[in-house]
């Protein structure tokens, strides 16, 4: 098989790029190692920046998002003393949209299938070679048969555990990373959300977040030790702990119910030194992982795709390689700014075991500064709603 582009990975990054290429007549194949059902069952992101929403709408997959996504003007922030609201709309005239990653992924798969896109599922043993030459190749196995695809470009959208990331350098140390000794225990429950908008909480017992997917589907998280396991937490224990991480006045009307999903996500940070090598470009979690505080992961995948698409069209339309050469520098600039924000929010909201009492005081003071200063709230709003591309 010969294609202009091979996309490896069918998560949000790979799917968004596929939609863009298809709409612009660039011939591609997307190969995903799992089944579609498996990809759709992963409960992850919930908050979209306007840049992400705009891209989805522009590419023609925004109808359900526009109809069912909830626009939020701000977020609530709760402290040990009470809570306050940061109003993005008023401060920076921007909003966010609450719409699940599962739904975006479903919308993009539905659209791509109806447009007749070339999608290959359950591709095993994926490997890529010759990407520093003009004719890179991708191999995969399906139903016991090995396939070879020759292409002009390979776009690695295969997440943090994918193969593409390992191809970027010859040594194993390809990036900058930090691991926190904590994770987020998350549950999904068919109950109305705590409030009309998200509530981030810093408490003496650790971080908590009240999020949502719709008016009858809530997503809650509490900070736990990295070594903890979901099976250690009954629903009762989860709700009990959650209630103790918000001020009493805020949770008196909390509606509790059985969890329909329960999992722990580690809090880690990783940024690749480079996001490209020759004819191989990385997008999304394949190139970086941000801690979930601030909801930047999926949104960064979308901004990477925006830059990658510019480079790809420049290459095929104008026969110009400059975009490919500049892709990594351009994308990394925005990645590091989002990482800075996520890292700062993570440090400010969590109690981190190896931090000393002085450092805890400084972080509590960051939060009270945010509460008191309109200038700080403006900076927060600008970052939370998404920096420009
Ligand atoms: P994905 O979603 O991991 O998709 C990669 C795909 O590649 C496939 N794959 C391969 N395919 C072929 N060959 C191989 N060798 C392959 N290896 C892997 C995988 O099966 C998979 O289908 O990466 P992508 O597309 O870059 O998307 C990134 C986002 O999924 C991620 O950043 C977000 O989910 C992060 N995130 C959030 N981001 C937000 O913007 N807003 C949020 O509110 C938000 N909340 C979250 C989150 C992530 C969380 N977890 C579980 C880490 C909340 C949580 C709890
Ligand atoms: C979510 O709803 O899953 C969510 C919301 C905000 C975050 C992270 C995750 O910062």
């Amino acid at each position: 098989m010969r294609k202009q582009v091979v996309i490896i990975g069918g998560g949000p990054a790979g799917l968004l790029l596929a939609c863009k290429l298809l709409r612009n007549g660039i011939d591609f194949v997307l190969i995903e190692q799992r089944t579609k059902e498996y990809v759709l069952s992963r409960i992850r992101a919930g908050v979209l920046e306007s840049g992400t929403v705009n891209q989805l709408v522009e590419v023609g997959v925004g109808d359900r998002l526009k109809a069912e996504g909830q626009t939020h003007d701000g977020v609530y922030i709760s402290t040990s003393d009470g809570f306050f609201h940061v109003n993005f709309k008023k401060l920076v005239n921007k909003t966010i949209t609450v719409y699940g990653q599962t739904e975006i992924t479903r919308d993009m798969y539905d659209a791509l299938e109806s447009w007749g896109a070339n999608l290959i599922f359950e591709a095993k043993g994926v490997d890529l070679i010759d990407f520093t030459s003009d004719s890179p190749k991708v191999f995969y196995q399906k139903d016991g048969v090995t396939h070879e695809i020759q292409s002009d470009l390979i776009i690695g959208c295969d997440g943090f555990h994918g193969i593409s990331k390992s191809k970027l350098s010859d040594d194993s140390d390809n990036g900058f990373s930090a691991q926190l000794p904590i994770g987020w225990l998350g549950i999904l429950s068919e109950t109305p959300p705590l409030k009309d908008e998200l509530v981030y909480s810093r408490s003496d017992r650790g971080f908590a977040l009240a999020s949502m997917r719709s008016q009858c589907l809530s997503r809650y998280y509490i900070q736990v030790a990295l070594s903890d396991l979901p099976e250690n937490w009954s629903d009762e224990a989860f709700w009990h702990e959650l209630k103790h991480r918000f001020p009493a006045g805020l949770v008196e009307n909390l509606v509790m119910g059985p969890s329909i999903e329960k999992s722990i996500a580690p809090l880690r940070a990783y940024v690749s030194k480079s996001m490209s090598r020759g004819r191989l470009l990385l997008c999304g979690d394949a190139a970086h992982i941000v801690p979930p505080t601030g909801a930047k992961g999926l949104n960064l995948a979308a901004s990477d795709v925006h830059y990658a698409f510019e480079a790809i069209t420049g290459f095929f339309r104008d026969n110009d390689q400059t975009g490919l050469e500049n892709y990594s520098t351009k994308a990394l600039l925005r990645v590091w700014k989002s990482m800075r924000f996520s890292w700062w929010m993570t440090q400010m909201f969590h109690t981190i075991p190896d931090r000393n009492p002085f450092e805890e005081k400084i972080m509590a003071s960051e939060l009270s500064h945010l509460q008191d200063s309109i200038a700080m709230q403006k900076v927060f709003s600008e970052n939370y709603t998404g920096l420009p591309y």
Side-chain angles (χ1 to χ4, degrees), residues 70 72 75-79 82-84 98 187 189-202 207-222 238-239 241-257:
Q70 304 168 60
H72 287 192
V75 290
Y76 295 97
I77 292 181
S78 123
T79 67
F83 67 97
F84 60 99
V98 170
I187 69 156
S189 76
E190 287 168 328
T191 52
L194 177 63
K195 281 194 74 71
D196 54 328
E197 291 175 344
L198 273 66
V199 191
Y200 286 89
S201 174
R202 178 191 161 96
F207 170 79
L209 170 61
S211 183
M212 65 195 76
R213 293 292 177 268
S214 70
Q215 286 315 314
C216 49
L217 190 59
S218 294
R219 181 81 167 146
Y220 292 100
Y221 296 99
I222 56 172
F238 182 91
W239 290 117
E241 187 56 36
L242 184 81
K243 280 182 106 169
H244 282 87
R245 294 189 186 193
F246 291 98
L250 195 62
V251 281
E252 59 193 354
N253 296 323
L254 174 73
V255 182
M256 296 172 281

Side-chain angles (χ1 to χ4, degrees), residues 180-301:
L180 291 161
I182 51 177
W184 279 15
L185 170 65
I187 69 156
L188 200 60
S189 76
E190 287 168 328
T191 52
L194 177 63
K195 281 194 74 71
D196 54 328
E197 291 175 344
L198 273 66
V199 191
Y200 286 89
S201 174
R202 178 191 161 96
S203 84
D204 294 342
R205 296 170 78 111
F207 170 79
L209 170 61
S211 183
M212 65 195 76
R213 293 292 177 268
S214 70
Q215 286 315 314
C216 49
L217 190 59
S218 294
R219 181 81 167 146
Y220 292 100
Y221 296 99
I222 56 172
Q223 166 191 346
V224 294
L226 188 60
S227 54
D228 214 332
L229 297 169
E231 46 273 32
N232 293 341
W233 289 84
S234 65
D235 286 356
E236 292 67 32
F238 182 91
W239 290 117
H240 176 86
E241 187 56 36
L242 184 81
K243 280 182 106 169
H244 282 87
R245 294 189 186 193
F246 291 98
L250 195 62
V251 281
E252 59 193 354
N253 296 323
L254 174 73
V255 182
M256 296 172 281
S259 64
I260 54 171
E261 195 263 357
K262 198 183 280 164
S263 53
I264 294 183
L267 262 66
R268 60 184 163 211
Y270 169 81
V271 183
S272 188
K273 279 182 191 157
S274 171
M275 288 175 60
S276 66
R277 189 174 176 202
R279 298 289 185 92
L280 170 65
L281 270 54
L282 301 192
C283 292
D285 281 12
H288 40 71
I289 292 281
V290 288
T293 339
K296 291 294 168 217
L298 169 64
N299 292 298
L300 275 180

